[in-house]
Amino acid sequence: AQTVTQSQPEMSVQEAETVTLSCTYDTSESNYYLFWYKQPPSRQMILVIRQEAYKQQNATENRFSVNFQKAAKSFSLKISDSQLGDTAMYFCAFMKRSTGANSKLTFGKGITLSVRP
Amino acid sequence: DTGVSQNPRHKITKRGQNVTFRCDPISEHNRLYWYRQTLGQGPEFLTYFQNEAQLEKSRLLSDRFSAERPKGSFSTLEIQRTEQGDSAMYLCASSATGFGNTIYFGEGSWLTVV
């Protein structure tokens, strides 16, 4: 079974600054996907960024980038130029790359990020 | 594309009553998921459909829980004889078939059992 650990329950950052959210995971799989999801106070979960484990290049999406360390099973999210709208809970999630039907996400406990004006 | 739609958004029920939640996935998405989320926690997987077939159920899904997806379109999640421990947000999500496709979530259905 896979586990995802987010050990920081809360973080705070000043607007326009950079913040890094940590995530570690445990799996015996060699092929998988990793995701960061954002859940704003309105509660709908939206995808921020995804990483394919077989790709060495770190994924980037505008102000969001990841540091994927496969050997260390670490997957951190860096948010640059933080904006007030980035205030939300952020969840790290794992998905096996399976030829079978199972494609579910396994989530960490999440981290609450507050962006200060 | 109107996104994943869930209703009701909020439900307050007395312990022992039955409740049903409905989920309308993004059209043409074959896969549909139900998750449960309690305050301050990440979503926990409940069950998964590929078209109309329920392919996996979590151990969290006790006998009081049943989910259906007739005709592979919308899905319902029914909780019978609700207990206070069932109070949570029930999230529905959908995705297209394929490796690592993005899973899109609905806004969730809040259940409060009093």
Side-chain angles (χ1 to χ4, degrees), chain B residues 21-82:
Chain B
F21 299 111
R22 175 178 170 127
C23 171
D24 288 272
I26 293 172
S27 58
E28 299 173 358
H29 276 186
N30 305 89
R31 295 177 174 170
L32 186 145
Y33 310 80
W34 285 99
Y35 283 81
R36 181 171 68 189
Q37 186 179 18
T38 53
L39 281 174
Q41 300 295 316
E44 296 173 297
F45 171 77
L46 291 179
T47 190
Y48 157 67
F49 291 85
Q50 173 95 9
N51 299 311
E52 67 276 9
Q54 188 174 21
L55 296 183
E56 186 177 352
K57 292 197 298 184
S58 164
R59 294 174 193 173
L60 294 174
L61 217 62
S62 74
D63 291 344
R64 298 184 296 104
F65 288 71
S66 62
E68 295 183 342
R69 192 183 182 196
K71 303 179 182 178
S73 55
F74 71 92
S75 175
T76 58
L77 177 68
E78 181 183 18
I79 309 173
Q80 297 181 326
R81 305 182 303 281
T82 52

Side-chain angles (χ1 to χ4, degrees), chain A residues 67-106:
Chain A
N67 183 3
F68 173 48
Q69 302 289 328
K70 191 172 184 179
K73 295 181 181 174
S74 170
F75 183 61
S76 61
L77 174 69
K78 185 172 81 171
I79 306 174
S80 303
D81 186 26
S82 296
Q83 301 176 359
L84 296 178
D86 294 334
T87 293
M89 276 201 80
Y90 287 80
F91 294 97
C92 180
F94 174 100
M95 179 195 292
K96 287 195 298 186
R97 188 179 193 273
S98 171
T99 55
N102 188 342
S103 62
K104 68 176 184 282
L105 288 165
T106 300

